[in-house]
Amino acid sequence: MSIINRSTFDAANRSFRALFFDSLETLGGRYQEAINLLTMPITSNGPSETLNWLGEAPEMEEWVDERKLSRLRAQGFTITNKRYANGITVSRNDFNDDRLGLVRPRIVNMASKVARHQYKLLTSLINNGATDLCYDGLPFFSHVHKEGDSGNNDNFTHDV
């Protein structure tokens, strides 16, 4: 029987946290490459992030007499962060009976679920991109996104 006091509890907590973050780093690498290829990661330090950009440049036109100049239109949207959480409890009996080794697989499994979470969100967006709405009220994948007077901007098909 082990003695439970503040120092043993703190040591177990540090050990569990280290195991969780080490497992998350190891397991997350499988998904992170795909996520980074398909997304634009943004660091967020608040409840929401506002992304601003200048509108699409106009298409080329033949220069006949006077050159036409277009204003770039300011665009933007705000993403409100959602909060996600998971966690486990460790019973007092597991501490008393020195069975903390049984907790390790649960912590690794929890890290695996966290690592897959972003990937699941991304695959859901891709799978539902023809119906889920984007910042402009159109489906995420659309032939007719508009930015001001720039005409249709197609993110559904692209000629490279």
Side-chain angles (χ1 to χ4, degrees):
M1 176 181 260
S2 70
I3 298 173
I4 299 176
N5 58 35
R6 188 66 174 165
S7 65
T8 57
F9 176 77
D10 288 345
N13 190 38
R14 281 191 305 277
S15 174
F16 293 158
R17 288 179 58 81
L19 175 62
F20 173 81
F21 286 110
D22 287 347
S23 298
L24 181 60
E25 186 176 333
T26 300
L27 299 167
R30 287 190 247 165
Y31 304 103
Q32 203 60 49
E33 186 176 341
I35 291 169
N36 289 344
L37 285 171
L38 298 171
T39 65
M40 179 178 72
I42 297 170
T43 301
S44 180
N45 295 316
S48 64
E49 297 300 325
T50 299
L51 305 173
N52 297 310
W53 75 93
L54 295 175
E56 188 75 17
E59 294 294 327
M60 297 295 294
E61 293 181 0
E62 182 181 2
W63 189 349
V64 178
D65 55 22
E66 287 193 34
R67 183 169 53 168
K68 295 179 184 177
L69 300 177
S70 299
R71 289 182 160 226
L72 292 176
R73 184 180 177 122
Q75 303 285 334
F77 63 93
T78 300
I79 298 173
T80 301
N81 291 324
K82 292 182 179 180
R83 296 176 68 152
Y84 296 92
N86 70 0
I88 59 172
T89 59
V90 178
S91 77
R92 183 174 193 88
N93 288 337
D94 286 340
F95 270 98
N96 284 337
D97 298 338
D98 197 20
R99 298 174 55 97
L100 296 182
L102 298 175
V103 177
R104 294 179 61 82
R106 291 170 47 202
I107 293 171
V108 172
N109 182 258
M110 186 172 64
S112 175
K113 290 180 185 230
V114 171
R116 287 193 314 255
H117 180 73
Q118 278 185 313
Y119 189 75
K120 286 172 134 180
L121 292 174
L122 177 60
T123 55
S124 175
L125 172 66
I126 292 169
N127 290 335
N128 300 308
T131 55
D132 284 355
L133 301 182
C134 197
Y135 68 93
D136 56 3
L138 297 170
F140 185 78
F141 297 122
S142 175
H143 296 287
V144 292
H145 288 290
K146 291 186 188 254
E147 294 179 16
D149 301 327
S150 65
N152 291 347
N153 294 298
D154 180 354
N155 75 347
F156 195 69
T157 58
H158 280 291
D159 296 328
V160 181

